[in-house]
């Protein structure tokens, strides 16, 4: 989720690849003369008093100084340095376990008895290092030297070099400290040397763990804790993890399956252009050597290395089983990729001092004591291959507040357990489980699939047998919270209300994790993967990946349900009316000063607006966008049918222009502060700004040029007018809003005739300059005639009519005095 209920991030910050094959790895060469001249004797540096730990590097502590002893075999090997917070000051909005920095580095011998640490940024690759273009790539850049160390001594028995690393880790640097952007955000102004120190350095077989305490002075605007002390202190942990000697084979990204991906450029003597590829993030999941043939035959086998997630011991015990269940739910998905027992959740072994939650070898669901209503699922991957090495899921305590509100509002009319502010443990546990599954999906490499919910017909969402058997969306990676379409009379149980891992998730895991045999490289693999997609989507179009919900396609939206937004939103609003009527009872708690009621009423109003915007996107000039390869039939871009747009406009007339006064019953407005006129008028004005803008009219014109049978601008304006120009009811509580909508309608059309850019002396846009202005002029002329025929039954309606005519005349004849 981080933030998964908001418009979250999609592809990570792009990294690019440096070597195609391990044999191609060549480091920047520096003249090196291996000499012991000027070096101290080993026993003078690493004395008998040294505290020594064996591991990837041998770590020595002598007289409060830390030394690394590095063998020649590890010089030149890539190391991933991941720095995380261990503990943070209050009110900094950062928590233990969150990643601060990530760098790939390697050590090499330098001149004059120096050891260099170079930062590796992966940019480009070649298929064959014997090609001439590889030489050009080698001379096109130099890997930066991020740190230089004096070699203190050399181990006489094995030739290991010894360097002191005390100040490297204790002080501030680009490899193992907070990046500049993080310091700026937290208002950190300077490193305080005498309040910063190393807590410990421990070495393990493939990693070194360094815990430090670092203190910074603060500038104006820092947190309360920083302002009071004039400084902020952080505890950090840096995991230096040795990357595999042989990188996992990359799997190339495809837009039709939702994985996080990194980018690289491919050069080749025989290529007439630089090719750009993306490769996905995934765990290295392989069958055991003795079971490869069974795997090929389609038998389920256990992987060489199981994916394990540990539960933070700071997690309240009653919630641990549900978090673990959210992890274990993915086992069925991996079975579709050919693996059994591929993933499991375990309690953290609290008595095992050899394990650390900051250790980058272990994936952990970290529990944060925070009022942030959120959770998120990141991962750390090998930048050469996309191999996921570990993940630290961030779980904020107050995420329970978020899911409780969602469930009351969306499922309260359907589930009696949701009709109170404090849920029973079983219900809250179920909700925690679904969030856990979603976040674990991210850590496995999966992106959001906001189009998944559109693959379920609205009618099936009310079909008890069907929806309980199949779920209300095909993907847990969608933001399809709960089945708000179902009505009380449908008697649908929790199996038809909760999200679950669906058919898309299982297929996506199969596509990303099923092993491919007897191919030369990832480029050959991509042809196999393309065929899997083509065949699977032909057999089951519901496996469509709809992306992150940020393009023009109305099928791909957050928080929506079903294949018909108008019908789904009508059902959702019907349930919201039930919720509003019951809120005073559901939110009542002894001693509460109606704070619960005010909070939940605000949530209901937001949910209503969300339903309106789901339908609105049908009318915003978009198209259905279905990514396809050349082997697939049909168009990528398909116009939204005119009938759907007309149904959307009718919905807006019924649910927005006719004011939603049901949101403000006396039982609520008499207890909490509300402002219905401001709220409703703002929604109506926003609606008309969306429906009547030059961009949409311009798009309609373009589509009509492409297809003469599509919507025309005059027809569209007529349908918008039908939605807005509704007969007055004689009830002033309603009519005041209808008059507001009519005035806003005229004002918006007037703005098209005289765009703001002209008033500001700027060149109008193509849309503002287009024939849309002429159509609007024609429409206003026709509208004036209809307004003249309006009958006013009150003095206010007569004045309203006169005001409209005056506004229209002024727009049509601006020079007339």
């Amino acid at each position: 989720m981080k933030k998964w209920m908001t418009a979250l991030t999609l592809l990570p910050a792009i990294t690019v690849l440096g070597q195609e094959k391990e044999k191609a790895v060549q480091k920047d060469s520096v003249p090196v003369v291996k000499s012991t001249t000027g070096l101290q004797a080993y026993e003078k540096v690493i004395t008998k008093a040294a505290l020594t730990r064996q591991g990837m590097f041998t770590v020595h502590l002598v007289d409060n100084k830390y030394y690394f002893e590095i063998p020649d075999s590890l010089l030149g090997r890539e190391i991933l340095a991941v720095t995380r917070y261990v503990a943070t000051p209050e009110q900094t909005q950062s928590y233990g376990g969150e990643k601060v920095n990530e760098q790939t580095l390697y050590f090499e011998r330098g001149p004059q008895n120096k050891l260099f640490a170079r930062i590796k940024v992966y940019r480009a690759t070649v298929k064959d290092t014997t090609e001439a273009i590889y030489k050009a790539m080698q001379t096109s850049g130099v890997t930066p030297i991020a740190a230089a160390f004096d070699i203190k001594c050399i181990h006489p028995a094995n030739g290991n070099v010894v360097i002191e690393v005390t100040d490297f880790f204790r002080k501030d640097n680009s490899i193992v400290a907070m990046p500049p952007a993080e310091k700026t955000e937290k208002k950190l102004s300077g490193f305080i040397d005498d309040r910063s120190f190393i807590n410990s350095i421990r070495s393990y077989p493939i990693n070194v763990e360094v815990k430090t305490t670092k203190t910074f002075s603060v500038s104006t605007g820092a947190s309360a804790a920083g302002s009071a002390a004039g400084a902020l202190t952080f505890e950090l942990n840096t995991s230096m993890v040795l990357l595999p000697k042989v990188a996992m084979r990359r799997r190339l990204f495809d837009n039709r399956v939702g994985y996080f991906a990194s980018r690289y450029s491919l050069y080749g003597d025989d290529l007439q252009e630089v090719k750009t590829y993306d490769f996905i993030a995934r765990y290295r999941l392989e069958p055991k050597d003795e079971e490869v043939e069974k795997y090929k035959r389609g038998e389920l086998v256990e992987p060489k290395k199981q994916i394990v997630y540990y539960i933070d011991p700071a997690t309240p015990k009653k919630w641990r089983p549900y978090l673990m269940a959210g992890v274990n739910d993915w086992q069925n998905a991996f079975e579709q990729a050919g693996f059994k027992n591929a993933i499991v959740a375990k309690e953290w072994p609290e008595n095992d001092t050899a394990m650390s939650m900051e250790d980058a070898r272990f994936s952990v669901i970290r529990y944060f004591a925070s009022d942030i209503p959120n959770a998120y699922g990141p991962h750390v991957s090998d930048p050469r291959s996309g191999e996921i090495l570990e993940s630290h899921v961030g779980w904020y305590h107050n995420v329970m507040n978020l899911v409780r509100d969602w469930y009351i509002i969306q499922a309260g009319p359907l589930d009696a357990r949701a009709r109170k502010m404090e849920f029973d443990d079983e219900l809250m546990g179920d909700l925690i489980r679904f969030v856990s599954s979603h976040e674990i999906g991210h850590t496995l490499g999966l992106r959001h699939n906001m189009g998944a919910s559109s693959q379920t017909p609205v009618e099936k969402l009310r079909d008890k047998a069907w929806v309980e058997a199949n779920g209300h969306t095909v993907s847990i990676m969608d933001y399809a919270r709960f089945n708000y379409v179902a009505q009380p009379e449908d008697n649908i149980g929790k199996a038809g209300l909760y999200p679950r891992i669906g058919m898309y998730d299982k297929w996506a895991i199969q596509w990303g994790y099923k092993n491919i045999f007897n191919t030369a490289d990832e480029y050959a693999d991509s042809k196999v993967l393309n065929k899997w997609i083509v065949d699977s989507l032909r057999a089951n179009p519901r496996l469509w990946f709809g992306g992150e919900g940020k393009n023009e396609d109305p099928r791909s939206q957050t928080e929506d349900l079903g294949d018909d937004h108008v019908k789904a939103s009508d059902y959702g609003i019907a349930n919201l009316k039930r919720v509003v009527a019951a809120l005073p009872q559901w939110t009542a708690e002894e001693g509460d000063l109606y704070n619960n009621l005010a909070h939940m009423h605000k949530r209901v109003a937001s949910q209503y607006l969300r339903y309106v915007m789901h339908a609105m996107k049908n009318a915003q000039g978009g198209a259905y966008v279905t990514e396809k390869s050349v082997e697939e039939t049909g168009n990528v871009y398909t116009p939204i049918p005119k009938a759907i747009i007309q149904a959307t406009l009718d919905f807006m007339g019924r649910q927005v222009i006719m004011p939603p006064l049901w949101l403000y019953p006396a039982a609520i407005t008499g207890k909490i502060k509300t402002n219905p006129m401001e709220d409703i008028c703002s929604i109506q004005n926003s609606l008309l700004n969306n429906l009547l803008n030059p961009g949409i009219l311009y798009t309609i014109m373009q589509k009509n040029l492409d297809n003469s049978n599509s919507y025309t601008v005059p027809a569209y304006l007529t349908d918008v007018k039908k939605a807005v120009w509704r007969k007055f009811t004689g009830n002033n509580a309603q009519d005041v809003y209808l008059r507001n909508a009519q005035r806003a309608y005229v004002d918006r059309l007037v703005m098209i005739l005289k765009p703001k850019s002209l008033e500001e002396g700027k060149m109008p846009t193509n849309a503002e300059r287009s024939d849309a202005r002429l159509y609007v002029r024609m429409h206003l002329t026709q509208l004036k005639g209809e307004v003249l025929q309006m009958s006013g039954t009150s003095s206010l309606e007569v004045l309203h009519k006169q005001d409209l005519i005056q506004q229209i005349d002024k727009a049509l004849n601006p020079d007339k005095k």
Side-chain angles (χ1 to χ4, degrees):
M1 262 172 15
K2 193 174 188 183
K3 298 221 171 143
W4 73 281
M5 75 283 185
T6 60
L8 305 281
T9 36
L10 314 192
L11 288 179
I14 290 178
T15 59
V16 280
L17 195 66
Q19 292 87 26
E20 177 70 8
K21 295 182 172 63
E22 181 65 26
K23 67 180 182 180
V25 175
Q26 295 185 13
K27 309 303 176 189
D28 299 280
S29 59
V30 176
V32 177
V33 177
K34 292 188 177 182
S35 170
T36 59
T37 303
L39 300 183
Q40 299 181 61
Y42 182 83
E43 61 274 13
K44 293 290 186 181
V45 179
I46 309 302
T47 67
K48 291 182 179 180
L51 176 62
T52 298
R53 293 180 181 273
Q54 302 289 338
M56 182 178 86
F57 300 150
T58 300
V59 178
H60 305 282
L61 175 59
V62 185
D63 295 331
N64 294 318
K65 295 182 180 179
Y66 286 92
Y67 297 87
F68 278 180
E69 186 176 318
I70 305 175
D72 276 355
S73 62
L74 294 185
L75 296 181
R77 286 286 301 274
E78 277 93 347
I79 296 168
L80 194 65
V82 181
T83 300
R84 297 183 184 278
Y85 291 120
V86 176
T88 60
E90 292 184 8
Q91 301 176 337
T92 58
Q93 300 299 301
S94 295
Y95 301 91
E98 293 187 315
K99 187 173 70 174
V100 183
N101 197 352
E102 180 181 327
Q103 301 286 350
T104 305
L105 67 137
Y106 61 88
F107 291 100
E108 69 172 14
R109 289 288 292 266
Q112 300 176 341
N113 287 321
K114 293 285 187 181
L115 191 72
F116 294 148
R118 290 185 183 264
I119 296 292
K120 188 67 181 179
V121 180
Y122 294 92
R123 297 192 178 281
T125 188
V126 292
K127 276 191 174 184
D128 188 346
T129 57
T130 64
E131 292 183 339
I133 198 168
Y134 182 62
K135 297 178 182 178
M137 289 177 57
Q138 286 183 300
T139 60
S140 64
V142 177
T143 303
I145 299 173
F149 304 87
D150 291 325
I151 296 176
K152 299 296 184 181
C153 62
I154 294 178
H155 196 295
N158 53 32
N160 293 350
V161 298
V162 178
I163 59 174
E164 185 191 345
V165 295
T166 311
D167 282 349
F168 174 72
F169 287 109
R170 186 180 66 83
K171 294 188 176 182
D172 207 20
N173 63 68
S174 61
I175 300 178
V176 295
M178 285 182 272
E182 184 84 355
K183 295 175 188 174
T184 299
E185 180 182 329
K186 290 179 167 47
K187 313 295 185 190
L188 307 182
S189 56
F191 180 76
I192 302 178
D193 191 277
D194 62 353
R195 286 180 255 174
S196 301
F197 51 90
I198 296 174
N199 300 70
S200 65
I201 300 182
R202 302 178 185 274
S203 192
Y204 301 93
I206 64 166
N207 62 302
V208 176
E209 302 299 315
V210 183
K211 285 189 176 181
T212 60
T213 296
K214 295 183 178 179
T215 304
F216 299 85
S217 57
V218 297
S219 56
T220 303
S223 69
S227 298
L232 287 174
T233 298
F234 300 83
E235 291 184 15
L236 302 168
N237 185 90
T238 297
S239 294
M240 300 183 69
V241 183
L242 185 66
L243 293 178
K245 191 169 186 178
V246 178
M248 180 183 73
R249 180 185 286 188
R250 299 183 297 270
R251 182 155 291 190
L252 299 185
F253 173 77
D254 192 295
N255 285 334
R256 295 166 292 177
V257 190
Y259 273 86
F260 292 108
S262 299
R263 178 162 295 173
Y264 70 100
S265 299
L266 179 66
Y267 292 81
D269 288 358
D270 59 343
L271 296 178
Q272 296 184 10
E273 63 176 348
V274 178
K275 297 286 188 180
T276 299
Y277 292 97
D278 299 296
F279 57 97
I280 69 171
R282 60 187 180 125
Y283 281 96
R284 187 191 294 235
L285 215 58
E286 301 167 330
K288 298 173 183 176
D289 293 340
E290 65 272 19
E291 294 190 320
V292 169
E293 294 305 317
K294 291 173 62 177
Y295 183 86
K296 289 180 179 179
R297 292 195 299 268
E299 298 179 38
L300 291 179
V301 302
E302 292 189 345
K304 286 181 180 178
K305 183 179 179 182
Q306 190 180 44
I307 302 169
V308 180
Y309 288 84
Y310 291 97
I311 305 300
D312 187 341
T315 305
K317 289 186 178 180
K318 66 180 177 179
W319 304 134
R320 295 180 192 179
Y322 299 102
L323 286 168
M324 294 172 70
V327 177
N328 296 331
D329 285 343
W330 284 96
Q331 289 187 10
N332 288 338
F334 281 101
E335 288 181 2
Q336 195 158 317
F339 296 99
K340 61 183 178 181
N341 301 320
I343 184 171
V344 68
K346 297 181 179 181
E347 295 266 8
W348 182 263
E350 296 185 54
N351 296 323
D352 189 343
T353 57
M355 292 179 65
S356 166
M357 285 192 294
E358 283 74 40
D359 187 338
R361 293 178 302 161
F362 302 118
S363 295
V364 183
I365 300 179
R366 296 295 301 264
Y367 201 92
F368 302 148
S370 168
D371 61 358
I372 296 175
N374 204 357
Y376 69 102
H379 58 259
V380 173
S381 59
D382 186 338
R384 304 168 302 171
S385 64
E387 178 184 354
I388 296 174
L389 304 174
E390 61 87 28
S391 172
H392 276 54
V393 175
W395 190 275
Y396 299 88
H397 180 75
N398 218 28
V399 73
M400 291 186 285
N401 172 279
L402 183 69
V403 295
R404 179 206 64 193
D405 291 355
W406 285 340
Y407 200 69
I408 290 174
I409 291 169
Q410 297 177 30
L414 315 167
D415 187 345
R417 300 175 302 164
R419 298 166 188 171
K420 53 186 176 180
M421 297 300 291
E422 188 77 17
F423 284 179
D424 297 337
D425 286 354
E426 180 184 2
L427 174 56
M428 181 55 70
D430 287 345
L431 305 186
I432 286 173
R433 179 176 182 170
F434 112 76
V435 178
S436 174
S437 288
H438 178 97
E439 300 307 336
I440 293 301
H442 283 317
T443 71
L444 299 174
L446 298 181
R447 291 165 53 198
H448 292 128
N449 180 5
M450 299 306 186
S453 56
S454 71
Q455 300 305 300
T456 302
V458 169
E459 291 76 12
K460 292 299 183 183
L461 296 172
R462 297 194 60 191
D463 184 328
K464 177 178 173 62
W466 190 94
V467 76
E468 290 182 0
N470 297 281
H472 64 274
T473 177
V474 297
S475 176
I476 193 77
M477 303 314 296
D478 197 349
Y479 280 179
R481 311 302 188 189
F482 305 104
N483 185 359
Y484 59 76
V485 167
Q487 301 294 290
E489 62 267 26
D490 300 332
N491 297 311
I492 291 173
K494 66 181 185 179
L497 300 179
Y498 299 166
R500 69 178 81 166
I501 293 169
M503 66 171 66
Y504 165 82
D505 306 308
K506 296 175 183 178
W507 176 74
I509 291 295
Q510 175 185 334
W511 184 89
Y513 282 89
K514 186 175 181 180
N515 284 206
I516 299 173
F517 299 93
N518 304 319
T519 51
D521 52 30
E522 60 264 42
Y523 309 104
D525 288 349
S526 68
K527 295 180 180 179
V528 176
L529 294 166
N530 176 62
K531 188 175 188 308
W532 288 358
I533 294 173
V534 172
D535 291 347
S536 297
L537 287 175
R538 182 185 297 123
N540 185 3
R542 296 185 72 207
L543 299 176
W544 173 67
F545 171 63
E548 298 281 350
K550 294 185 178 298
N551 65 8
E552 62 187 284
D553 193 332
R555 297 175 300 174
S556 184
Q557 298 190 61
T558 63
E559 318 280 348
D560 65 329
L561 289 182
D563 63 347
D564 187 325
H565 288 111
V566 169
K567 289 183 180 179
S569 293
D570 274 334
Y571 284 129
I573 290 173
N575 273 330
L576 286 185
K577 291 177 179 178
R578 298 180 177 105
V579 172
V580 168
L583 269 188
Q585 176 186 350
W586 292 358
T587 59
E589 290 184 314
E590 185 176 354
D592 177 50
L593 301 179
Y594 295 107
N595 292 320
N596 289 342
L597 181 61
H599 171 79
M600 291 306 302
H601 182 262
K602 186 176 180 179
R603 292 287 195 181
V604 171
S606 295
Q607 191 72 16
Y608 160 75
L609 184 58
R610 183 172 289 120
Y611 294 153
V612 170
M613 295 312 296
H614 288 161
M616 169 63 72
K617 197 164 183 180
N618 288 323
Q620 290 183 315
Y624 299 142
V625 184
T626 307
E627 295 277 2
K628 298 186 179 205
S629 64
V630 295
E631 297 86 0
E632 297 176 271
T633 59
N635 292 328
V636 173
Y637 293 90
T638 305
I640 298 171
K642 178 181 177 181
I644 289 180
I645 301 176
Q646 289 176 317
T648 297
L649 297 178
D650 175 70
F651 170 88
M652 296 303 165
R654 292 184 288 105
Q655 300 286 17
V656 181
I657 301 302
M658 285 301 296
L661 296 176
W662 54 268
L663 268 170
Y664 304 93
I668 289 179
T669 59
K671 302 293 191 300
I672 64 174
K673 183 175 177 58
T674 60
N675 195 342
M677 182 164 288
E678 178 65 22
D679 294 345
I680 295 174
C681 287
S682 294
I683 293 172
Q684 290 179 337
N685 295 343
S686 177
L687 167 69
L688 292 171
N689 281 334
N690 273 284
L691 294 177
L692 297 173
N693 72 72
I696 284 184
L697 302 183
Y698 189 61
T699 299
I700 292 172
M701 289 171 53
Q702 178 63 59
K703 291 180 177 179
N704 186 247
L705 291 175
D706 297 336
N707 180 0
S708 59
N709 293 322
S710 67
Y711 231 153
T712 64
V713 173
Y716 173 79
L717 290 173
T718 297
D719 287 339
V720 175
K721 185 186 67 175
K722 288 179 183 177
V724 176
W725 290 79
R726 311 182 77 83
K727 289 184 178 180
F728 296 130
T729 64
N731 180 348
N732 192 53
Q734 291 182 324
D735 290 349
V736 65
Y737 296 103
L738 297 182
R739 289 192 293 270
N740 172 77
Q742 291 177 1
R743 286 192 292 270
Y745 181 88
V746 171
D747 290 342
R748 194 66 191 90
L749 292 176
V750 170
M751 291 174 66
I752 295 176
L753 288 186
K754 190 177 181 181
K756 189 175 181 180
S757 56
L758 285 178
E759 295 180 1
E760 296 174 348
K762 299 176 182 177
M763 180 67 73
T765 65
N766 289 337
E768 291 171 335
R769 194 188 302 111
S770 72
D771 282 354
R773 291 173 62 183
L774 304 182
Y775 288 120
V776 168
R777 178 173 289 274
M778 291 167 54
H779 185 74
L780 272 174
T781 301
Q782 179 183 348
L783 181 62
K784 177 183 175 181
E786 296 174 4
V787 172
L788 286 170
Q789 300 301 314
M790 288 173 55
S791 59
T793 58
S794 69
S795 58
L796 200 60
E797 289 178 6
V798 171
L799 289 173
H800 171 66
K801 173 181 175 180
Q802 293 173 353
D803 182 65
L804 291 175
I805 293 173
Q806 184 179 12
Q807 287 295 100
I808 294 173
D809 280 340
K810 187 176 180 180
L812 294 175
N813 304 288
D815 298 327
K816 186 176 180 180
K817 301 294 184 181

